[in-house]
Each structure stands twice: as C-alpha cells, then as structure tokens.
C-alpha cells in the first residue's frame, strides 16, 4: 500500500474528479438505493398480508419454520429472516397465517415494521449507518464541486434478487471506499482526522 500512496499525484485535479466519480459516487448511489428500500418498508406499516403482491408474500414466508414448541423461527438463510433483520419487515403473527390457511378463512394479518438490526454494540441500526455514509459522501461530492445525480435507480422490495444485489453493491462500494483499501480515502481522512 505504501507504493500506492507514493505514486499518487495528489495535486492533480483530474485525480480527485476521478475519485469522486468512481469511488465516492458509487457509495452515494448504493446508499441511496438502500435508503429507498427503507422508505418502501415504511409504506407497508399499516398494510395487511392480503394486500401484498405474490412475490413479497413468498419472500415474507420464505424459510419460516414452526418449532416443536409451536413457536415460529427462521431457517439460517431464509428470505423472511433477511427481511426482518436487515430491512425491518415481517408478518406480525405467523400463527394467524397458519390458522387462516388451515381454516381457509380470511384473517387480516398485519405487517410488522421494526428497526433493522443493530450494528455491533452500538444503538445504531444498519439504516442509521447507511444514512450516515450517504450524508458523508454528499458532503464530499459537494466539497469537490461535483453534482449529485438527478435520480438513482429504484429497487422493489418484491424483487428479492435485486434487493440482495443492492446490499452486495453497497458492501462492495463501501469496501472500495474505505481508507484501508483506498489510498485516496486514506489521504483525505488523514488530512481531516
């Protein structure tokens, strides 16, 4: 990494333009897409299961298991667990769902919107950290004289593969932006403390 730091022309405006366009903008786009997913979750707060499209119904039931004691849980890599933990959306009562299926009765099953999981030992959620990174890169783009894109592609909560790809995109963008990996970020963070 030392060679990477020494070989950079830190006085070059084109280097910093490229840094903002390639590294910082990717973080902005990825964090914006994830924040849009969280906004979509908020729109489901007062809905019931029967109002969902078929794909989202499958996602929220994917990998839900009934234990021997009658309680419900999730398989390790279930879509329902992923949405509950990382996005904060699940069914409020899986028992009511099972009862409605067994009796063929229409029981309104509410959706449960909760905070996504906490990160480490802090009180901050994944959403909080994503919002902080989004705010940070907006400041960097603005300070560098760049412009934010007018729009960022949106991903539907009903498309599990796209949601997973969006979180992968976020992780890749954040890793490529970190000061441990990116010598330009290392330089900037060293200057700013």
């Amino acid at each position: 990494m030392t060679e990477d730091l020494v070989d950079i022309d830190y006085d070059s405006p084109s280097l910093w333009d490229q840094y903002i366009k390639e590294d910082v903008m990717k973080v902005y786009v990825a964090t914006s897409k994830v924040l849009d997913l969280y906004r979509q979750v908020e729109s489901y707060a007062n809905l019931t299961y029967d109002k969902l499209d078929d794909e989202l119904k499958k996602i929220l039931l994917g990998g839900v298991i009934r234990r021997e004691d009658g309680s419900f849980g999730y398989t390790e890599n279930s879509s329902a667990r992923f949405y509950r933990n990382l996005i904060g959306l699940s069914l409020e009562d899986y028992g009511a769902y099972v009862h409605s299926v067994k009796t063929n009765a229409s029981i309104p099953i509410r959706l449960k919107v909760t905070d996504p999981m906490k990160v480490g030992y802090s009180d901050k959620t994944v959403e909080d950290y994503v919002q902080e990174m989004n705010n940070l890169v907006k400041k960097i783009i603005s300070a560098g004289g760049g412009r934010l894109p007018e729009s960022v592609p949106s991903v539907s909560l009903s498309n599990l593969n796209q949601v997973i790809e969006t979180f992968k995109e976020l992780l890749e963008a954040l890793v490529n932006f970190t000061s441990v990996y990116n010598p330009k970020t290392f330089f900037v963070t060293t200057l700013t403390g």
Side-chain angles (χ1 to χ4, degrees):
M1 177 155 164
T2 307
E3 294 124 15
D4 291 339
L5 289 171
V6 174
D7 291 341
I8 294 175
D9 181 10
Y10 292 104
D11 293 334
S12 168
S14 64
L15 171 89
W16 295 109
D17 288 342
Q18 178 186 7
Y19 170 67
I20 288 174
K21 286 177 186 170
E22 292 179 7
D23 300 328
V24 179
M25 197 61 74
K26 284 181 183 176
V27 175
Y28 173 75
V29 169
T31 56
S32 295
K33 286 168 73 174
V34 170
L35 290 172
D36 181 60
L37 288 171
Y38 289 121
R39 282 189 289 278
Q40 288 179 51
V41 167
E42 292 169 7
S43 70
Y44 287 97
N46 296 315
L47 291 181
T48 55
Y49 178 77
D50 59 314
K51 303 287 189 224
L52 304 178
D53 64 58
D54 289 341
E55 289 304 309
L56 193 52
K57 286 178 181 178
K58 290 176 193 173
I59 291 167
L60 294 179
L61 290 174
V64 175
I65 56 172
R66 189 168 204 167
R67 299 182 183 113
E68 289 181 20
D69 66 359
S71 66
F72 290 88
Y74 304 97
T75 58
E76 186 175 341
N77 293 318
S78 72
S79 60
R81 181 180 184 185
F82 175 78
Y83 270 56
R84 185 201 67 193
N85 290 346
L86 205 54
I87 297 177
L89 183 64
S90 64
L91 293 184
E92 194 170 79
D93 186 358
Y94 289 104
Y97 171 77
V98 170
H99 180 70
S100 71
V101 170
K102 283 183 178 180
T103 61
N104 200 20
S106 178
I107 300 172
I109 303 154
R110 301 201 67 69
L111 297 179
K112 185 176 182 180
V113 175
T114 60
D115 283 337
M117 67 183 180
K118 305 258 188 252
V119 178
Y121 294 105
S122 74
D123 288 336
K124 293 183 180 182
T125 65
V126 172
E127 182 181 7
D128 295 334
Y129 278 105
V130 171
Q131 184 64 62
E132 286 179 9
M133 286 306 299
N134 185 269
N135 293 340
L136 173 65
V137 294
K138 279 189 218 176
K139 286 180 185 176
I140 293 171
I141 292 167
S142 175
R147 293 183 40 184
L148 297 173
E150 290 182 24
S151 65
V152 174
S154 183
V155 174
S156 171
L157 277 174
S158 297
N159 190 325
L160 178 61
N161 290 332
Q162 284 185 353
V163 170
I164 291 170
E165 285 302 314
T166 299
F167 276 94
K168 284 182 183 177
E169 180 184 327
L170 173 68
L171 291 174
E172 288 173 7
L174 290 174
V175 166
N176 290 332
F177 179 70
T178 61
S179 59
V180 173
Y181 179 81
N182 191 320
K184 295 171 204 99
T185 302
F186 178 78
F187 180 75
V188 169
T189 56
T190 303
L191 289 177
T192 61

